mmCIF file of all heavy atoms in Angstrom:
data_model
loop_
_atom_site.group_PDB
_atom_site.id
_atom_site.type_symbol
_atom_site.label_atom_id
_atom_site.label_comp_id
_atom_site.label_asym_id
_atom_site.label_seq_id
_atom_site.Cartn_x
_atom_site.Cartn_y
_atom_site.Cartn_z
ATOM 1 N N GLN A 22 17.588 0.849 -10.047
ATOM 2 C CA GLN A 22 16.501 0.073 -9.483
ATOM 3 C C GLN A 22 15.339 0.955 -9.077
ATOM 4 O O GLN A 22 15.293 1.452 -7.968
ATOM 5 C CB GLN A 22 16.987 -0.702 -8.258
ATOM 6 C CG GLN A 22 18.031 -1.705 -8.599
ATOM 7 C CD GLN A 22 17.881 -2.947 -7.753
ATOM 8 O OE1 GLN A 22 16.919 -3.117 -7.042
ATOM 9 N NE2 GLN A 22 18.841 -3.822 -7.828
ATOM 10 N N PRO A 23 14.407 1.172 -10.013
ATOM 11 C CA PRO A 23 13.238 1.947 -9.615
ATOM 12 C C PRO A 23 12.475 1.194 -8.543
ATOM 13 O O PRO A 23 12.586 -0.024 -8.439
ATOM 14 C CB PRO A 23 12.417 2.041 -10.907
ATOM 15 C CG PRO A 23 12.861 0.911 -11.735
ATOM 16 C CD PRO A 23 14.273 0.617 -11.362
ATOM 17 N N SER A 24 11.696 1.929 -7.770
ATOM 18 C CA SER A 24 10.923 1.271 -6.720
ATOM 19 C C SER A 24 9.867 0.386 -7.351
ATOM 20 O O SER A 24 9.441 0.632 -8.475
ATOM 21 C CB SER A 24 10.243 2.329 -5.878
ATOM 22 O OG SER A 24 9.298 2.986 -6.684
ATOM 23 N N PRO A 25 9.400 -0.642 -6.635
ATOM 24 C CA PRO A 25 8.307 -1.443 -7.159
ATOM 25 C C PRO A 25 7.083 -0.592 -7.488
ATOM 26 O O PRO A 25 6.327 -0.903 -8.376
ATOM 27 C CB PRO A 25 8.008 -2.416 -6.020
ATOM 28 C CG PRO A 25 9.298 -2.522 -5.276
ATOM 29 C CD PRO A 25 9.933 -1.166 -5.396
ATOM 30 N N GLU A 26 6.935 0.534 -6.787
ATOM 31 C CA GLU A 26 5.812 1.430 -7.061
ATOM 32 C C GLU A 26 5.890 1.939 -8.488
ATOM 33 O O GLU A 26 4.936 1.904 -9.246
ATOM 34 C CB GLU A 26 5.873 2.595 -6.091
ATOM 35 C CG GLU A 26 4.796 3.618 -6.305
ATOM 36 C CD GLU A 26 4.770 4.624 -5.172
ATOM 37 O OE1 GLU A 26 5.483 4.437 -4.176
ATOM 38 O OE2 GLU A 26 4.033 5.579 -5.301
ATOM 39 N N GLU A 27 7.113 2.379 -8.854
ATOM 40 C CA GLU A 27 7.353 2.876 -10.197
ATOM 41 C C GLU A 27 7.131 1.744 -11.196
ATOM 42 O O GLU A 27 6.597 1.918 -12.266
ATOM 43 C CB GLU A 27 8.814 3.310 -10.253
ATOM 44 C CG GLU A 27 9.094 4.496 -11.092
ATOM 45 C CD GLU A 27 10.574 4.810 -11.040
ATOM 46 O OE1 GLU A 27 11.242 4.492 -10.050
ATOM 47 O OE2 GLU A 27 11.045 5.346 -12.015
ATOM 48 N N ALA A 28 7.589 0.563 -10.806
ATOM 49 C CA ALA A 28 7.566 -0.562 -11.724
ATOM 50 C C ALA A 28 6.176 -1.126 -11.937
ATOM 51 O O ALA A 28 5.877 -1.625 -13.005
ATOM 52 C CB ALA A 28 8.488 -1.662 -11.196
ATOM 53 N N THR A 29 5.330 -1.079 -10.956
ATOM 54 C CA THR A 29 4.036 -1.747 -11.073
ATOM 55 C C THR A 29 2.888 -0.778 -11.207
ATOM 56 O O THR A 29 1.785 -1.182 -11.516
ATOM 57 C CB THR A 29 3.756 -2.600 -9.824
ATOM 58 O OG1 THR A 29 3.739 -1.733 -8.703
ATOM 59 C CG2 THR A 29 4.777 -3.682 -9.625
ATOM 60 N N GLY A 30 3.145 0.507 -10.967
ATOM 61 C CA GLY A 30 2.065 1.475 -11.046
ATOM 62 C C GLY A 30 1.145 1.396 -9.835
ATOM 63 O O GLY A 30 0.142 2.077 -9.768
ATOM 64 N N ARG A 31 1.425 0.536 -8.887
ATOM 65 C CA ARG A 31 0.611 0.463 -7.666
ATOM 66 C C ARG A 31 1.483 0.861 -6.505
ATOM 67 O O ARG A 31 2.689 0.666 -6.522
ATOM 68 C CB ARG A 31 0.132 -0.975 -7.429
ATOM 69 C CG ARG A 31 -0.919 -1.363 -8.405
ATOM 70 C CD ARG A 31 -1.693 -2.563 -7.942
ATOM 71 N NE ARG A 31 -2.306 -3.163 -9.093
ATOM 72 C CZ ARG A 31 -1.827 -4.224 -9.692
ATOM 73 N NH1 ARG A 31 -0.787 -4.838 -9.212
ATOM 74 N NH2 ARG A 31 -2.404 -4.694 -10.749
ATOM 75 N N PRO A 32 0.866 1.433 -5.475
ATOM 76 C CA PRO A 32 1.690 1.858 -4.353
ATOM 77 C C PRO A 32 2.474 0.691 -3.776
ATOM 78 O O PRO A 32 1.933 -0.405 -3.647
ATOM 79 C CB PRO A 32 0.682 2.385 -3.334
ATOM 80 C CG PRO A 32 -0.665 2.116 -3.873
ATOM 81 C CD PRO A 32 -0.550 1.587 -5.261
ATOM 82 N N ASP A 33 3.740 0.917 -3.527
ATOM 83 C CA ASP A 33 4.503 -0.165 -2.901
ATOM 84 C C ASP A 33 4.326 -0.064 -1.409
ATOM 85 O O ASP A 33 4.597 0.934 -0.795
ATOM 86 C CB ASP A 33 5.994 -0.062 -3.222
ATOM 87 C CG ASP A 33 6.754 -1.135 -2.463
ATOM 88 O OD1 ASP A 33 6.218 -2.248 -2.366
ATOM 89 O OD2 ASP A 33 7.840 -0.851 -1.944
ATOM 90 N N ASP A 34 3.891 -1.151 -0.852
ATOM 91 C CA ASP A 34 3.660 -1.160 0.570
ATOM 92 C C ASP A 34 4.687 -2.038 1.246
ATOM 93 O O ASP A 34 4.646 -2.238 2.446
ATOM 94 C CB ASP A 34 2.250 -1.689 0.833
ATOM 95 C CG ASP A 34 1.876 -2.806 -0.131
ATOM 96 O OD1 ASP A 34 2.803 -3.486 -0.619
ATOM 97 O OD2 ASP A 34 0.692 -3.000 -0.398
ATOM 98 N N GLY A 35 5.616 -2.575 0.461
ATOM 99 C CA GLY A 35 6.618 -3.475 1.025
ATOM 100 C C GLY A 35 6.003 -4.772 1.516
ATOM 101 O O GLY A 35 6.625 -5.502 2.275
ATOM 102 N N LEU A 36 4.790 -5.043 1.096
ATOM 103 C CA LEU A 36 4.100 -6.228 1.621
ATOM 104 C C LEU A 36 4.210 -7.436 0.699
ATOM 105 O O LEU A 36 3.899 -8.549 1.100
ATOM 106 C CB LEU A 36 2.600 -5.936 1.833
ATOM 107 C CG LEU A 36 2.252 -4.760 2.751
ATOM 108 C CD1 LEU A 36 0.742 -4.596 2.852
ATOM 109 C CD2 LEU A 36 2.851 -4.961 4.129
ATOM 110 N N ARG A 37 4.632 -7.214 -0.526
ATOM 111 C CA ARG A 37 4.668 -8.332 -1.469
ATOM 112 C C ARG A 37 5.690 -9.371 -1.042
ATOM 113 O O ARG A 37 6.821 -9.010 -0.699
ATOM 114 C CB ARG A 37 5.100 -7.847 -2.857
ATOM 115 C CG ARG A 37 4.098 -7.030 -3.602
ATOM 116 C CD ARG A 37 4.741 -6.611 -4.923
ATOM 117 N NE ARG A 37 3.997 -5.556 -5.572
ATOM 118 C CZ ARG A 37 2.954 -5.755 -6.358
ATOM 119 N NH1 ARG A 37 2.539 -6.980 -6.599
ATOM 120 N NH2 ARG A 37 2.334 -4.741 -6.911
ATOM 121 N N PRO A 38 5.328 -10.661 -1.117
ATOM 122 C CA PRO A 38 6.350 -11.673 -0.863
ATOM 123 C C PRO A 38 7.412 -11.613 -1.961
ATOM 124 O O PRO A 38 7.099 -11.303 -3.108
ATOM 125 C CB PRO A 38 5.572 -12.990 -0.931
ATOM 126 C CG PRO A 38 4.311 -12.684 -1.664
ATOM 127 C CD PRO A 38 4.024 -11.223 -1.449
ATOM 128 N N LYS A 39 8.669 -11.861 -1.587
ATOM 129 C CA LYS A 39 9.754 -11.717 -2.572
ATOM 130 C C LYS A 39 10.134 -13.065 -3.205
ATOM 131 O O LYS A 39 10.612 -13.108 -4.317
ATOM 132 C CB LYS A 39 11.007 -11.130 -1.906
ATOM 133 C CG LYS A 39 10.771 -9.787 -1.212
ATOM 134 C CD LYS A 39 11.147 -8.631 -2.114
ATOM 135 C CE LYS A 39 10.987 -7.270 -1.478
ATOM 136 N NZ LYS A 39 9.638 -6.947 -1.004
#
Side-chain angles (χ1 to χ4, degrees):
Q22 296 216 9
S24 66
E26 178 171 352
E27 215 180 333
T29 60
R31 288 198 201 101
D33 175 39
D34 37 26
L36 303 180
R37 288 178 194 275
K39 304 264 182 302

